[in-house]
């Protein structure tokens, strides 16, 4: 659990990041907004990239904690959409910065978590090989990730939820059939 001061630094940074691009924010801006001195900032973070990484990881951890069970892939994706929209401008500023790769890794981690959590519940006691499970997980993880990356590349324009719903409708029953095939071959 981050300390009060660490949390305050993160919140000040997010507020600034909502207003301007990452490369236009300095440590001086953050400490002035937060009401602390530079040494206090450096006690908690090495630099701004370390602060960005901590915020992205913290957000990823929160998403995972608040979604300990995922009743459907759509529900997991909706939770991620909600989090992205909550920090829309800040995420776009991070995504369109040199920190993009770090954000993409975090997004992939979130998609992996959503898919793995859902598959664990969906497969239940059915017996399928670890290799088949990994292949199925990779397929669905890449679908989720691809939808989010396309949306980010379009600057989060449009409503992603109808597209998620449509994909869910189009693939309805496919996972059951896939798992049944895996069971027969196990």
């Amino acid at each position: 659990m981050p300390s009060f001061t660490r949390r305050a630094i993160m919140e000040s940074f997010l507020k600034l990041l909502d207003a301007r691009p990452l490369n236009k924010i300095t440590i001086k801006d953050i400490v002035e907004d937060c009401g602390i001195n530079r040494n206090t900032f450096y006690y908690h973070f090495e630099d701004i990239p370390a602060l960005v990484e901590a915020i992205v990881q913290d957000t990823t951890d929160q998403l995972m904690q608040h979604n300990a069970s995922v009743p459907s892939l759509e529900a997991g994706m909706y939770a991620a959409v909600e989090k992205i929209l909550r920090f829309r401008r800040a995420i776009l500023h991070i995504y369109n910065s040199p920190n993009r790769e770090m954000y993409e890794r975090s997004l992939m981690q979130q998609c992996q978590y959503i898919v793995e959590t859902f598959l664990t519940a969906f497969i239940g006691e059915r017996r399928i090989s670890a290799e088949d499970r990994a292949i199925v997980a990779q397929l669905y993880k890449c679908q989720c990730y691809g939808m989010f990356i396309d949306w980010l590349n379009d600057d989060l324009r449009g409503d992603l939820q109808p597209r998620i719903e449509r994909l869910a409708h189009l693939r309805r029953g496919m996972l059951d059939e896939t798992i049944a095939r895996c069971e027969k071959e196990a």
Side-chain angles (χ1 to χ4, degrees):
M1 187 70 160
S3 73
F4 175 78
T5 304
R6 183 178 169 92
R7 171 68 38 215
I9 293 168
M10 294 167 113
E11 288 174 5
S12 287
F13 178 71
L14 283 171
K15 182 173 84 174
L16 293 167
L17 192 57
D18 190 50
R20 57 185 184 242
L22 183 62
N23 65 350
K24 301 291 184 193
I25 299 172
T26 65
I27 291 172
K28 181 181 181 207
D29 297 330
I30 298 166
V31 299
E32 285 177 0
D33 183 78
C34 195
I36 61 170
N37 64 43
R38 289 177 76 85
N39 288 338
T40 302
F41 175 90
Y42 287 116
Y43 174 79
H44 293 282
F45 301 100
E46 181 180 326
D47 52 18
I48 290 178
L51 172 59
V52 170
E53 188 165 354
I55 289 170
V56 169
Q57 189 59 54
D58 187 57
T59 303
T60 299
D61 293 344
Q62 285 176 20
L63 180 73
M64 291 182 201
Q65 286 174 348
H66 290 99
N67 294 283
S69 65
V70 180
S72 67
L73 288 175
E74 306 83 72
M77 291 178 73
Y78 294 155
V81 166
E82 184 179 310
K83 193 66 113 171
I84 289 170
L85 290 175
R86 182 170 174 224
F87 298 105
R88 178 187 199 102
R89 289 177 55 113
I91 286 173
L92 283 173
H93 285 144
I94 292 170
Y95 188 71
N96 293 314
S97 76
N99 297 82
R100 172 181 275 194
E101 184 179 321
M102 181 263 311
Y103 182 77
E104 289 174 340
R105 276 193 316 272
S106 172
L107 183 60
M108 182 63 85
Q109 182 183 3
Q110 291 174 36
C111 291
Q112 178 79 33
Y113 177 81
I114 290 166
V115 168
E116 288 292 342
T117 304
F118 168 69
L119 279 179
T120 298
F122 187 84
I123 293 171
E125 299 297 318
R126 296 192 268 186
R127 295 174 39 122
I128 68 170
S129 72
E131 184 179 352
D132 282 350
R133 188 186 195 291
I135 290 168
V136 171
Q138 182 180 25
L139 169 70
Y140 283 92
K141 173 186 70 173
C142 291
Q143 278 183 348
C144 293
Y145 180 77
M147 289 186 84
F148 284 118
I149 289 296
D150 285 349
W151 191 39
L152 282 159
N153 285 333
D154 196 30
D155 293 327
L156 303 177
R157 285 187 286 245
D159 187 356
L160 188 60
Q161 288 188 353
R163 295 186 72 220
I164 294 169
E165 289 170 13
R166 182 67 180 151
L167 178 62
H169 172 74
L170 293 173
R171 70 173 182 223
R172 190 160 289 125
M174 290 173 65
L175 186 55
D176 274 322
E177 187 178 321
T178 301
I179 299 302
R181 225 180 257 141
C182 293
E183 282 183 296
K184 287 179 187 172
E185 296 173 10

